[in-house]
Amino acid sequence: MSRIRILSEHLANQIAAGEVVERPASVIKELLENSIDAGATTIDVQVEGGGVRLMRVADDGCGMDGDDVLLCIERHATSKLRDESQLSAIATLGFRGEALPSIGSVSRMTILSRLQGSESGTMADLRYGTLHAVRETGCSLGTIIEVRHLFGNVPARKKFLKSARTESYHIEEAVKNQAIAMPSVGFTLKFDNRTALDLPAGNDLETRVRQVFAYSGPMLSLEHLGAQEAETLQVGGYLLLPEAMSARAAKLRVLVNGRAVQDKMIRHAVSEGMRGFLMKGYQPAGAILLTIDPSLVDVNVHPSKREIRFRKSVEVHRIVTAVVSRAMERYQEESRSRLFRVESETKSDADTDQVAQVPQPESREPEISYPADEPEILPLPKKSLGSVPRTTVDRAATAGDVGSFKPETPKIEPVPAVRPPVVEKEMQPAEDFSELKLIGQLFSLYLLCEQDERLVVIDQHAAHERILYGRLRQGYLEKNIPMQQLMFPVTVELGPDHLELIEKNEDRFRELGVEVEFFGDTTWVVKSVPAAMKGMEPVEVFHEVLDAMQNSGGRSGVVAGGIDDVLAQMACKAAIKAGNRLAPEEMLSLLRQMQESDVFSHCPHGRPVIKEFSRQEIEKWFHRHGG
Ligand code: ADP
Ligand code: MG
């Protein structure tokens, strides 16, 4: 007598439910997927008692006839797959025919459905997996599924549920994910009697992302940035600005072919694309939508279809990183043209393609370079930048002309002989800053400017830091950081740790713009420093670079990828400090450098450089509504 037996259908469903129905939110997810597969344009979700008492999903999709209502609760019954060949390119959200029987086996489920074009509908009533009643009934077009007493027959599972509030949170997440995947579909979500979401049908993606994230600030658009790969993979979506990210405990929603998935690879690729813009510990946030040929992705790898597998994941990673980094770049262009009225260079398709092929920002050509004869600081009369003679500022002589105070410790030093750009591209500097009017300096830290109907506040340290970082980085990548030869080389005495570091990394130091030479015993000589750090004492520069190298890689030097940290730290040390009073022409010079810099919105540590306040916002401070 054999001991092995085939499980009863009922038991099999309960076992499947163990995987498919982890918590109330999993039920909502499955029901929403079914409504979307049914072509619904509006989906209403109602939840009571954190989903345990009631979950009700009503849609206006295609509906089912009486036979299908009975079939859909059978195990492995689906209208979405016909044969094996379709399994390798699944285009619907569902395909296993497992959700309804699984949910039905651990709850009391009622299905009410009316097929488009049908006079009346069908009602089926299930109690913990057993069909209790079926009848014809009048109902609206589409399908309503009610799930009550979830896990009423499996107390062990019910015990594992969290508070109603936590379960509700997960339900809301599930609805939000689906709402972003389908911006044109209307969604409502009610908890008991509170409306948590009301997202109208016919939204575009941007509006939908704003609503879901309750965010009204600027966003990074990922739309239409990966022209080249359009055939196999399209990337779209919107990301929040780096500084808005952690503030709202925001998360990155990843949608692949309309399916919300958890994917570390995509997450990583987005972070990579934002490298140098994210603050430590911050995660990218927003929505990224991938549309990929279904045959290039396996969705059948996880019981609740939460994870997927890309057949060409390296490729996908590369493209996503390229698109995000291009979006950052476009954001810089837009900010620059808005603030400084510089003609935004509209990218041709060819440019976009090139970026898509070469994902690393380091391998991009500089778009704007510093003319060889341009000193770092330019004295600027209030108007007409074009007429300024290209000479180094003589602070004592000009400070009195433009402003009423003199700087105590001028820190922005003119840098001679900035290398001519490798590729000189046409750039049209604005004639003047007449549109961006400098008001003055606040707290010896912020530049206040006025533009149109806005107050523009610029963090002088962060701004300068980003500019120096950009220069150092470009120089580093071209293996040619502009250096400043010291007239009198200085010697430094080093301890054993530092000696080991410098012995192993002499070339690295050179690449970073610090030329050192062994002198004897524990002594080394510093012969040049990076031009960008010229304002500092050479010994200080040397120690900063040494420390930065040590911090980023331990004793033997920089580890892969750590070089950005080193460059950022160098820039940070060399930049104008908070607390430095600047003469008006120094402030104007900083603005000018921002104007010419291809990246300036965030410091290399991801802190924002610019904040803007609209006239309306300011009027609100004073309760001046409507004048
Ligand atoms: P799957 O989605 O994998 O096919 P389900 O158990 O979720 O499996 O659903 C079984 C079938 O029931 C579906 O294939 C579909 O034909 C039908 N169905 C489920 N929900 C709906 C709905 N809201 N509107 C129309 N048909 C539905
Ligand atoms: Mg389904």
Side-chain angles (χ1 to χ4, degrees):
M1 201 16 203
S2 168
R3 285 178 302 134
I4 301 175
R5 256 174 262 162
I6 306 280
L7 292 176
S8 75
E9 170 107 353
H10 182 66
L11 204 50
N13 282 337
Q14 278 206 358
I15 290 169
E19 293 193 307
V20 177
V21 190
E22 189 193 338
R23 60 187 343 158
S26 349
V27 173
I28 294 292
K29 173 182 170 287
E30 293 294 341
L31 297 183
L32 291 178
E33 287 186 358
N34 282 344
S35 296
I36 284 172
D37 282 343
T41 58
T42 312
I43 304 174
D44 297 308
V45 182
Q46 198 188 330
V47 176
E48 285 173 19
V52 177
R53 196 157 63 234
L54 170 75
M55 289 179 277
R56 180 180 193 270
V57 175
D59 70 48
D60 60 355
C62 63
M64 290 178 273
D65 65 14
D67 289 347
D68 277 353
V69 166
L70 288 180
L71 261 176
C72 77
I73 49 178
E74 294 290 328
R75 197 162 153 73
H76 303 310
T78 179
S79 57
K80 300 167 195 176
L81 273 189
R82 292 263 169 257
D83 60 53
E84 230 176 273
S85 68
Q86 290 174 304
L87 198 56
S88 59
I90 292 164
T92 48
L93 294 172
F95 53 89
R96 291 197 188 122
E98 257 181 350
L100 291 182
S102 301
I103 297 165
S105 75
V106 291
S107 69
R108 293 177 61 160
M109 181 165 82
T110 308
I111 302 175
L112 198 61
S113 194
R114 191 175 129 210
L115 195 66
Q116 302 278 357
S118 202
E119 292 286 291
S120 64
T122 313
M123 196 275 297
D125 193 14
L126 262 89
R127 292 191 189 171
Y128 303 119
T130 315
L131 187 61
H132 213 256
V134 193
R135 60 181 155 79
E136 219 182 275
T137 179
C139 65
S140 52
L141 284 175
T143 305
I144 300 172
I145 296 190
E146 289 181 354
V147 176
R148 292 172 202 272
H149 305 300
L150 183 67
F151 298 140
N153 59 335
V154 258
R157 301 288 312 274
K158 200 170 167 184
K159 261 209 326 242
F160 279 101
L161 294 182
K162 302 279 190 294
S163 68
R165 201 212 274 197
T166 304
E167 296 304 337
S168 300
Y169 164 80
H170 288 288
I171 289 174
E172 189 166 336
E173 283 299 293
V175 178
K176 283 175 169 174
N177 279 337
Q178 217 47 260
I180 285 181
M182 290 288 175
S184 62
V185 175
F187 290 86
T188 63
L189 170 62
K190 265 195 194 146
F191 289 115
D192 302 301
N193 282 320
R194 176 177 69 90
T195 301
L197 289 173
D198 187 356
L199 306 167
N203 272 167
D204 58 24
L205 180 60
E206 182 178 354
T207 314
R208 184 55 63 89
V209 171
R210 286 191 183 287
Q211 286 172 341
V212 166
F213 282 91
Y215 178 74
S216 59
M219 292 198 293
L220 292 176
S221 165
L222 305 181
E223 301 291 301
H224 317 299
L225 282 174
Q228 174 96 72
E229 282 78 11
E231 283 161 44
T232 49
L233 171 63
Q234 286 168 304
V235 183
Y238 291 86
L239 299 179
L240 307 197
L241 282 192
E243 65 266 31
M245 292 183 170
S246 164
R248 48 200 64 240
K251 46 164 63 190
L252 185 67
R253 296 179 195 273
V254 180
L255 296 126
V256 178
N257 291 348
R259 187 188 303 281
V261 294
Q262 288 167 1
D263 194 287
K264 286 207 184 86
M265 185 272 285
I266 301 284
R267 197 170 285 280
H268 181 264
V270 175
S271 300
E272 278 296 294
M274 301 193 87
R275 191 199 267 270
F277 291 97
L278 277 177
M279 281 189 264
K280 249 205 171 69
Y282 275 47
Q283 295 293 324
I288 178 162
L289 283 75
L290 306 191
T291 312
I292 187 167
D293 180 340
S295 68
L296 294 177
V297 58
D298 191 351
V299 295
N300 192 19
V301 295
H302 188 274
S304 59
K305 302 166 285 183
R306 202 194 300 146
E307 285 164 24
I308 53 171
R309 203 171 288 146
F310 292 99
R311 295 204 207 281
K312 295 180 179 168
S313 64
V314 176
E315 182 100 347
V316 173
H317 186 279
R318 188 180 65 77
I319 295 170
V320 169
T321 301
V323 167
V324 173
S325 108
R326 176 76 188 98
M328 264 333 296
E329 215 184 301
R330 185 164 69 179
Y331 177 70
Q332 302 300 323
E333 283 164 19
E334 286 166 1
S335 320
R336 193 156 56 100
S337 72
R338 190 165 46 85
L339 277 176
F340 300 111
R341 299 286 188 264
V342 178
E343 277 295 307
S344 172
E345 292 158 68
T346 8
K347 293 271 158 178
S348 69
D349 276 356
D351 276 358
T352 312
D353 291 353
Q354 200 182 7
V355 171
Q357 280 161 6
V358 188
Q360 293 305 317
E362 39 259 68
S363 45
R364 263 184 280 128
E365 282 180 0
E367 263 148 39
I368 288 141
S369 323
Y370 301 92
D373 59 343
E374 180 110 283
E376 181 156 321
I377 256 218
L378 268 180
L380 298 168
K382 271 205 175 98
K383 294 235 165 180
S384 163
L385 198 78
S387 66
V388 171
R390 304 198 153 208
T391 49
T392 308
V393 70
D394 177 350
R395 271 184 206 86
T398 51
D401 303 344
V402 209
S404 56
F405 57 85
K406 286 181 185 182
E408 283 122 41
T409 43
K411 275 286 159 65
I412 312 182
E413 291 291 329
V415 173
V418 174
R419 254 170 20 80
V422 179
V423 185
E424 196 143 2
K425 272 204 182 176
E426 279 280 294
M427 195 203 70
Q428 290 170 333
E431 275 308 296
D432 52 44
F433 290 126
S434 58
E435 316 250 14
L436 183 69
K437 260 192 284 172
L438 179 64
I439 302 170
Q441 196 185 21
L442 177 71
F443 309 145
S444 299
L445 171 54
Y446 303 106
L447 309 195
L448 301 187
C449 305
E450 177 187 346
Q451 185 184 48
D452 298 337
E453 296 285 271
R454 285 171 306 154
L455 170 67
V456 181
V457 183
I458 296 168
D459 181 317
Q460 67 189 34
H461 171 71
H464 197 213
E465 188 182 1
R466 166 54 78 175
I467 292 164
L468 294 181
Y469 171 75
R471 265 177 233 179
L472 286 167
R473 193 163 192 272
Q474 187 184 327
Y476 178 81
L477 294 171
E478 289 166 1
K479 300 226 175 295
N480 204 347
I481 288 189
M483 287 200 281
Q484 173 78 27
Q485 204 83 40
L486 298 180
M487 203 111 81
F488 306 103
V490 292
T491 57
V492 281
E493 292 286 323
L494 295 174
D497 272 18
H498 284 163
L499 279 172
E500 190 192 331
L501 184 70
I502 197 165
E503 271 162 26
K504 286 194 178 145
N505 292 283
E506 204 182 322
D507 293 345
R508 248 300 152 62
F509 267 79
R510 210 174 192 301
E511 286 166 24
L512 290 167
V514 183
E515 204 176 359
V516 286
E517 207 175 83
F518 182 60
F519 188 75
D521 204 20
T522 56
T523 309
W524 283 69
V525 184
V526 183
K527 296 173 75 183
S528 357
V529 294
M533 301 179 83
K534 196 200 148 254
M536 295 166 66
E537 284 296 325
V539 177
E540 203 191 340
V541 173
F542 172 77
H543 278 289
E544 285 304 340
V545 176
L546 201 65
D547 287 350
M549 284 177 87
Q550 200 162 26
N551 292 341
S552 80
R555 262 216 244 163
S556 53
V558 185
V559 285
I563 202 73
D564 281 328
D565 293 344
V566 176
L567 294 168
Q569 199 173 328
M570 287 164 70
C572 179
K573 294 297 167 186
I576 333 166
K577 301 279 172 298
N580 273 17
R581 283 185 95 182
L582 301 181
E585 74 273 16
E586 288 177 301
M587 295 186 236
L588 290 170
S589 165
L590 187 59
L591 293 179
R592 160 94 183 178
Q593 291 176 56
M594 287 173 73
Q595 180 189 21
E596 290 182 354
S597 174
D598 51 359
V599 179
F600 60 82
S601 69
H602 296 79
C603 84
H605 305 105
R607 285 197 305 107
V609 165
I610 303 164
K611 280 278 156 199
E612 294 176 40
F613 301 88
S614 69
R615 187 189 185 114
Q616 290 95 306
E617 264 174 287
I618 293 170
E619 283 176 351
K620 262 192 215 154
W621 301 349
F622 300 101
H623 297 271
R624 269 185 155 278
H625 314 288

